[in-house]
């Protein structure tokens, strides 16, 4: 009984035909599976046997049957959801793509429609029929013209592809929709309106300055000034108006040969055109810019507005009138010296409380500055009031001279009379006994001797003088004043 000896089991003899028999191989496999997995044999006789020809002897087959039964229950649940959601609606939805069992394996009822098994898919647009050159198809009662309701409806649906990409048309193009002309025209008009509205919003965002903010192009100009060293830093906004936004900044090194002040004011003219529509009369009739005004588009006129303030400030600075000092001009951004100290701007004359002596001193100083502005600078402020006069260092400073014009302007004397009226009313209310009325102040500044007794006749004589001067300029082509009493004021040709 050696353990290493040959076994005593007798060999089973079989023929070659039995070895090649499939029946023998299947029996041997069943014996091995029953010995290894005895519980499978018990389950194989369970309730999942659905047919006599189905082989359930393998656990793989049982797993497949279980999965098939689960998939069928899932598909049945999907069909119940479809019927619940669709109801009696003409437009229905389908969960066909979410089914587990392929349609040819499903046991769906005959009354249920399977769109993948039908020849006609309602979600697929019919092939468009081309209208022949003669304009109709068929004969007699079956004639169909290009004005047919179905033909026009399909053409209108196809035309929705020409709408702007931002206009969402949904899945209607892929369906066999038939839009009437009325519906299509309404959609077309709405699409064009939305496109124009989007363009306006985009243009406003790209080309305009908002309240206390600047557009990207203006921001780039400010960045270049800081990076170039001309400005050390920009601290923030100190004033906002209808036409411009003013920022405070600390000056840096010299810029183009000019000394940059320790504190600077950056005046950014707004690039919106709303506020300049009624103010073009200040520049289109100005002889310094009249020829250039007609050749520029509206947006470049705003740059000319900034250029005009720079020239006016330069004239005032050369005459010794207290005003901001011009540092540099870049397109519609004007950098000037800051009137104030430590980021605190100087108060306006309407906001400051002065003693009677200081108020009288301020009045005489303004009277002298108006005379200098008219005779030495050949300018009229055209918007002079207590809002554009600052009190700093014990004296008055003039600002905001972008609208200033020459006396030879067609409305120059009218602007001067308006300035005199604002100044006279303010100081008379402030209690300055020496304040002249508007007619006396006008004669004192201009040197003219208009002897009208009332304001209506006074303004009529002013308009007559302006008309006389305008006719002289048009006839002789010279910027020469006909109403100056002390000789013609000097003419500056920029």
């Amino acid at each position: 009984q050696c353990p290493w000896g040959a076994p005593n089991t007798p060999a089973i003899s079989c023929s070659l035909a039995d070895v090649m028999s499939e029946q023998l191989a299947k029996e041997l496999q069943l014996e091995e599976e029953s010995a290894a997995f005895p519980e499978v044999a018990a389950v194989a006789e369970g309730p999942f046997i659905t047919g006599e020809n189905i082989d359930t002897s393998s656990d793989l087959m049982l797993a497949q049957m279980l999965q098939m039964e689960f998939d069928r229950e899932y598909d049945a649940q999907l069909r119940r959801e479809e019927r619940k959601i669709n109801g009696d609606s003409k437009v229905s939805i389908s969960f066909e793509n979410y089914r587990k069992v392929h349609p040819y394996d499903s046991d769906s009822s005959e009354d249920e429609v399977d769109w993948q098994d039908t020849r006609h898919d309602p979600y697929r647009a019919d092939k468009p029929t081309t209208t022949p050159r003669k304009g109709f198809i068929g004969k007699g009662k079956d004639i169909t013209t290009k004005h047919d309701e179905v033909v026009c409806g399909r053409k209108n649906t196809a035309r929705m592809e020409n709408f702007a990409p931002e206009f969402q048309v949904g899945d209607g193009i892929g369906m066999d929709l038939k839009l009437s002309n009325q519906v299509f025209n309404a959609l077309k008009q709405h699409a064009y309106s939305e496109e124009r509205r989007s363009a306006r919003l985009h243009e406003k965002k790209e080309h305009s300055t908002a309240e206390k903010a600047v557009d990207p192009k203006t921001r780039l100009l400010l960045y270049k000034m800081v990076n170039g060293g001309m400005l050390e830093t920009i601290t923030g906004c100190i004033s906002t108006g209808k036409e411009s936004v003013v920022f405070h900044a600390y000056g840096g090194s010299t810029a183009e040969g000019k000394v940059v002040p320790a504190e600077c004011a950056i005046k950014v003219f707004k690039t919106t055109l709303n506020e300049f529509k009624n103010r073009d009369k200040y520049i289109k009739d100005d002889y310094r810019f009249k020829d250039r005004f007609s050749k520029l588009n509206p947006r470049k006129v705003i740059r000319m507005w900034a250029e005009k303030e720079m020239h006016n400030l330069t004239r005032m600075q050369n005459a010794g009138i207290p005003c901001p000092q011009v540092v540099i001009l870049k397109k519609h951004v004007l950098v000037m010296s800051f009137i104030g100290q430590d980021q605190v701007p100087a108060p306006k004359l309407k906001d400051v409380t002065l003693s009677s002596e200081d108020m009288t001193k301020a009045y005489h100083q303004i009277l002298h500055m108006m005379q200098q502005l008219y005779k030495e600078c050949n300018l009229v402020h055209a918007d002079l009031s207590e809002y554009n006069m600052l009190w700093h260092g014990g004296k008055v400073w003039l600002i905001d001279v972008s609208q200033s014009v020459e006396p030879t302007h067609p409305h120059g004397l009218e602007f001067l009379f308006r300035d005199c009226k604002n100044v006279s009313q303010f100081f008379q209310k402030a209690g300055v006994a020496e304040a002249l009325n508007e007619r006396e102040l006008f004669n004192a500044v201009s040197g003219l001797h208009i002897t009208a007794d009332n304001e209506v006749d006074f303004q009529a004589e002013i308009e007559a003088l302006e008309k006389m001067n305008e006719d002289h300029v048009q006839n002789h082509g010279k910027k020469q004043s006909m109403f100056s009493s002390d000789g013609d004021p000097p003419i500056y040709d920029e």
Side-chain angles (χ1 to χ4, degrees), residues 184-210:
F184 174 76
N185 291 334
L187 288 175
K188 180 180 177 182
Q189 184 64 31
H190 181 67
Y192 288 167
S193 301
E194 288 296 319
E195 187 178 4
R196 291 193 297 268
R197 175 178 173 271
S198 177
R200 288 195 301 269
L201 293 177
H202 179 74
E203 181 181 9
K204 183 177 180 181
K205 180 179 178 181
E206 293 294 330
H207 300 286
S208 65
T209 55

Side-chain angles (χ1 to χ4, degrees), residues 336-355:
M336 306 171 290
S337 60
F338 180 69
I339 309 300
Q341 189 176 4
D342 297 334
Q343 302 185 29
V344 179
K348 298 177 182 178
L349 204 59
K350 74 176 187 68
D351 299 328
V352 67
T353 303
L354 300 178
S355 61

